[in-house]
Amino acid sequence: MDQESANQTRISEFILLGFSNDWGTQVVLFVLILAMYFITVLGNSLILLLIWLDSRLHTPMYFFLSVLSTVDLCYGNSIAPQMLAHLFSARKLIPFNSCVLQLCVSLALGGSEFFLLGAMSYDRYVAVCYPLHYTVIMDGGLCVGLAASCLVAGFLNSLMETVITFRLPLCRNVINHFACETLAVLRLACVDISFNKVMVAISGFLVIMLPCGLVLFSYTRIVIAILRIRSTRGRHKAFGTCASHLTVVCMCFGATIFTYLGPRSASSEDKEKMVALFYAVVAPMLNPVIYSLRNKEVIAALRKLVEKLR
């Protein structure tokens, strides 16, 4: 055990392999990731600004959306700047402590987002199934409590996974990834990682499947409620309140389930990188776009802001 501990303490930094050593590929990736990162920051910041300025958006749905945008902003900033800097670095180095912090923060924000999507599905369930009691049920205390619970749950799950990952004796310091990610770090261990795999599976179930179960329950009840509406216009209006959230749910849950719960193969590491890139950079960019383009209230608030600026 002492020898294993010594192996671990000798590692002061990690080398990230990234995507490719080809200069042309790195330039293309830099331009694409920079553009997506810019849209992520601009889009989510704009969503937060509109919700803050327009009193019509001071509702439970937009409260959760503002929390989701904040999480997306923080998540993007925890990975994208380092990724951009490393695309032009010959050796993609990250200190040991920075790697631990990045893993912990990204896991906490990612887990919190899943729980938030589950809470948002409950909000939509109440809005569609109990419209007359919506403001009474989804009062300020419940909304803040749900959001805080989502963040705390994400942090506790991240803390557990980070601790059991970096307590392992690591024999190598070359991570086949563009960031410090649980499965990539576990492959560096020089001991049996069966326990860690079980814990990652349990973590995946709690963070992914429990919110997913809440989403399925909520939308099953929502669909039943919508089918009972006689007018076509009423059905479209009820479904319209859920369309943006459902799109984001399918996108985020689908990508992560594919990564962590899908079958293993020889190319699993490359697939993990691509899906992780999608979730770390593409999803935070698409979330505000989806909510903006499919939401008349957000578009109206944006037009109002533009008119004021003029």
Side-chain angles (χ1 to χ4, degrees):
M1 184 64 185
D2 292 338
Q3 182 62 38
E4 291 176 349
S5 300
N7 289 340
Q8 185 181 22
T9 55
R10 281 198 291 267
I11 297 178
S12 61
E13 61 184 12
F14 293 98
I15 300 173
L16 300 171
L17 294 183
F19 294 100
S20 171
N21 291 323
D22 180 69
W23 177 253
T25 303
Q26 292 188 77
V27 171
V28 172
L29 285 173
F30 180 85
V31 173
L32 290 176
I33 293 172
L34 179 62
M36 289 187 287
Y37 176 61
F38 176 77
I39 296 172
T40 297
V41 174
L42 180 63
N44 285 289
S45 298
L46 184 59
I47 289 286
L48 290 171
L49 180 64
L50 292 175
I51 293 174
W52 179 54
L53 292 177
D54 198 317
S55 59
R56 294 173 298 180
L57 302 183
H58 295 173
T59 63
M61 182 177 76
Y62 293 106
F63 167 76
F64 286 114
L65 179 56
S66 66
V67 179
L68 181 65
S69 292
T70 302
V71 169
D72 282 336
L73 268 175
C74 295
Y75 192 89
N77 284 316
S78 71
I79 293 180
Q82 173 205 277
M83 198 189 317
L84 290 169
H86 280 174
L87 284 171
F88 289 109
S89 302
R91 296 190 72 199
K92 303 170 177 57
L93 301 177
I94 181 171
F96 183 89
N97 291 337
S98 297
C99 185
V100 174
L101 181 62
Q102 184 182 70
L103 178 64
C104 185
V105 170
S106 61
L107 280 175
L109 294 171
S112 297
E113 179 153 343
F114 288 119
F115 288 118
L116 277 170
L117 290 174
M120 292 172 77
S121 71
Y122 175 74
D123 171 73
R124 293 299 81 208
Y125 157 69
V126 176
V128 173
C129 298
Y130 303 97
L132 299 179
H133 304 284
Y134 175 63
T135 55
V136 176
I137 297 174
M138 300 300 297
D139 61 4
L142 179 61
C143 292
V144 172
L146 284 174
S149 298
C150 293
L151 297 174
V152 170
F155 172 77
L156 291 178
N157 173 76
S158 169
L159 188 62
M160 177 274 295
E161 202 164 317
T162 302
V163 168
I164 66 170
T165 297
F166 284 99
R167 285 189 66 185
L168 291 173
L170 305 178
C171 296
R172 293 172 293 152
N173 70 332
V174 180
I175 301 176
N176 186 15
H177 212 279
F178 58 81
C180 292
E181 191 264 351
T182 306
L183 296 177
V185 174
L186 285 178
R187 296 189 184 101
L188 307 180
C190 46
V191 294
D192 180 56
I193 58 173
S194 300
F195 172 75
N196 294 75
K197 288 182 177 180
V198 172
M199 294 305 295
V200 169
I202 294 173
S203 171
F205 175 81
L206 294 175
V207 175
I208 300 172
M209 301 311 295
L210 288 184
C212 187
L214 179 57
V215 169
L216 290 175
F217 168 79
S218 298
Y219 276 100
T220 299
R221 298 295 299 270
I222 288 171
V223 169
I224 293 173
I226 290 176
L227 292 176
R228 290 175 180 171
I229 300 175
R230 294 185 178 182
S231 67
T232 303
R233 183 178 179 181
R235 289 181 180 179
H236 282 297
K237 183 178 179 181
F239 181 75
T241 64
C242 307
S244 298
H245 175 258
L246 187 58
T247 303
V248 172
V249 163
C250 293
M251 178 179 65
C252 292
F253 278 93
T256 308
I257 289 174
F258 173 81
T259 304
Y260 292 100
L261 304 181
R264 303 284 96 185
S265 66
S267 59
S268 288
E269 293 182 27
D270 292 331
K271 289 180 180 179
E272 286 170 14
K273 279 197 244 182
M274 296 309 298
V275 177
L277 177 66
F278 169 82
Y279 188 66
V281 180
V282 180
M285 175 195 69
L286 290 179
N287 286 353
V289 174
I290 292 170
Y291 277 105
S292 299
L293 295 180
R294 300 187 64 92
N295 195 304
K296 295 179 180 179
E297 292 176 323
V298 173
I299 293 175
L302 179 59
R303 287 176 178 170
K304 182 179 177 181
L305 177 62
V306 172
E307 289 175 0
K308 284 186 177 181
L309 294 175
R310 286 179 179 177

